[in-house]
Amino acid sequence: MKQPGLTLTLTALHLLYWRAWAALEVSMEDRREVLLGSGAEIPCVFSLDQPAADLKIEWFVSLSGGNKQRIHYKTGSEEPQVEATRYTDRISVSYNSSTNGNSVLTISSTQLSDEQEYFCRVSADSASDEKHTQLLVFQPPSPPTIEAEKHVSAGSDKMEKIATCIAENAYPAPKVLWHKDGIPLQPSDDDVYVMNSVTVQPSFLQTLQSTLHLKMVKKEDKDAEFYCEISYFTVGGESMMESDHVKITVHYSATELKMYQVSPERLVKEGDRVEIRCEGDGNLSPAITFSRNGDEIESQNENLMVLENVNRANSGEYLCSYTEDWVNYLHSNFTLKVHFMDDVVITPEQPAELDEGQNLSLSCNALCSLPTRTVWYKDNKQLDEGNILTLSSVSSKSSGTYTCKVQAPDLPELSGESSVDVTVRGKPEITDKIEIISLENKNMFNLSCSTTGHPTPNITWSLSDEQTRVDVWNMETDDSVISIITISTTSTVNASCIATNEMGTVLTSISVEPDKFEDSTTVTTGTTSSSTTESSGFIIAILIILVLLLAIGGSVFYFLYKKGKIPCGRSGKQDLTKESASKDDFWWR
């Protein structure tokens, strides 16, 4: 198959020499270009003024020393002949023996050694003419690779090796041009030196290695981009390729040190782990020394100082320094402030018991290195802000635990709190109306009554018919008392719950009407004196559950007691008491 353009080439050669008035004229191209491994077609065009019976066409290839070697020929009407050469299996020749004839030599799988001059000789009668074409074989290089030096010293008056560029397996050898930030670097004796070397492989392909050297590298060159540009010849002209862009690591000495806190990323408080780093504006790693008040501090690595579990005594100025070649001494200071908060103290710590109507002032303080915010709470509800809490005209509701919380807004992790109990003395308060619980025995009922007060009140029961009394149980919890009385009756009984302490007495009453309790039910009713108050629904629910549990437990307790299995007694603040019964022959479960 002919190469593209071959037909046009043959036509052009025919036209050119058709105009020649010589008896025999041969025409060939000056050069033919192909890529390594491809096919090459070399045309030869000739013209005769009249047909020749003994026309002979021969092809030669140049040898060293100016000699030639015939590789193919055809004489007259005879069959073409192939000479025994290294081309024998790779060439073919076409012949056209007219007066305006041509012959095309085709070489398959071109090799670098095929880059020679090829001669076409045409003979007719006594006339003969010969021309030649130079065959050029090209192989583009592989994409260039570049490797920068690991580090380069700045300020050196010696040539510093910057990078090496390699372009492999090319023919002919490519050329190289170095660039810095896109600007070509022209070799010079003063600042730029480029060393190139070409290695010829056994295949005759060539590898270019180029090394760039610069003098007086600057600190700013650490940001510069270097690359090499490879130019090479190929079919149709010259082409170019660029390597990757690389940066170099420039070693330069520091001109100043900087010391700063790495961790924690906030203000420092007692107990923290503190990391302080010291760095220079150079990119060498000098041996840095940490110290405080002239005493050296050991560091875990070259530029990091770690202080574990710091306290206020660690506050102060720290120093990092290093000396280069015993000449260039650099240092930097850092002031560490360790913030603290002492225990929160409430004054008075244990206030005396108050009578209703009295006033109380509580003071809350904590020594702290930062401004603080103080908030007062009671039963987890915020009361007020500020160091002083004033309780005016206290009542029994003022009793409880007061908590003072102190926090530094600039360092929320710095906080503390303290609590104090406040007790207000007052006459008892009935916290709920009397509750009636009908037992399985329809003639028996449990009545419950609860009261609070300080000192702890004592509850007694008054019945319109004392013969109905079976048992009484009292349970004390802090300043509150719950009392349960069991009665047995078939007729209406009026019952009163009387709460008494040294500050006064209150009572609440109820009428028990058995006819209204057809099934086991719970009824809450009664009339309370002016001193009785109602509690929240939450307390009512708790009391109902507690009364049910006490009723069941009391039944078992009463049974065992009547059988003489257990004694009756008191112990500690939680007190369960039983009064004597008037009807020993009753028991329930």
Side-chain angles (χ1 to χ4, degrees), residues 191-329:
D191 301 320
V192 181
Y193 172 67
V194 177
M195 184 175 67
N196 297 328
S197 64
V198 176
T199 302
V200 179
Q201 310 295 331
S203 62
F204 297 104
L205 293 177
Q206 300 177 17
T207 295
L208 169 68
Q209 177 174 303
S210 178
T211 303
L212 173 66
H213 297 76
L214 296 179
K215 185 185 290 187
M216 297 300 294
V217 176
K218 300 177 182 179
K219 171 183 174 180
E220 292 75 15
D221 289 333
K222 64 183 177 62
D223 299 318
E225 290 190 346
F226 294 88
Y227 65 93
C228 63
E229 179 185 89
I230 300 298
S231 59
Y232 57 93
F233 289 103
T234 186
V235 176
E238 192 173 15
S239 188
M240 292 183 296
M241 287 190 292
E242 284 186 7
S243 70
D244 292 335
H245 295 209
V246 297
K247 292 184 177 182
I248 59 175
T249 300
V250 180
H251 280 184
Y252 50 91
S253 301
T255 58
E256 64 176 356
L257 294 180
K258 179 182 179 182
M259 198 174 183
Y260 60 94
Q261 178 179 310
V262 178
S263 174
E265 296 180 354
R266 53 165 172 77
L267 297 177
V268 178
K269 64 177 179 61
E270 289 189 321
D272 281 341
R273 181 181 189 268
V274 179
E275 295 182 358
I276 299 175
R277 189 179 300 279
C278 181
E279 292 180 344
D281 58 352
N283 70 343
L284 294 173
S285 298
I288 291 176
T289 301
F290 292 93
S291 63
R292 182 188 180 196
N293 298 329
D295 297 326
E296 185 173 335
I297 300 174
E298 293 185 3
S299 57
Q300 295 181 351
N301 58 38
E302 293 181 347
N303 64 348
L304 184 68
M305 177 182 69
V306 178
L307 302 176
E308 301 283 356
N309 193 25
V310 296
N311 56 47
R312 65 195 73 180
N314 294 114
S315 295
E317 188 175 86
Y318 291 79
L319 176 74
C320 73
S321 61
Y322 92 100
T323 302
E324 180 184 7
D325 298 331
W326 303 100
V327 176
N328 186 21
Y329 173 76

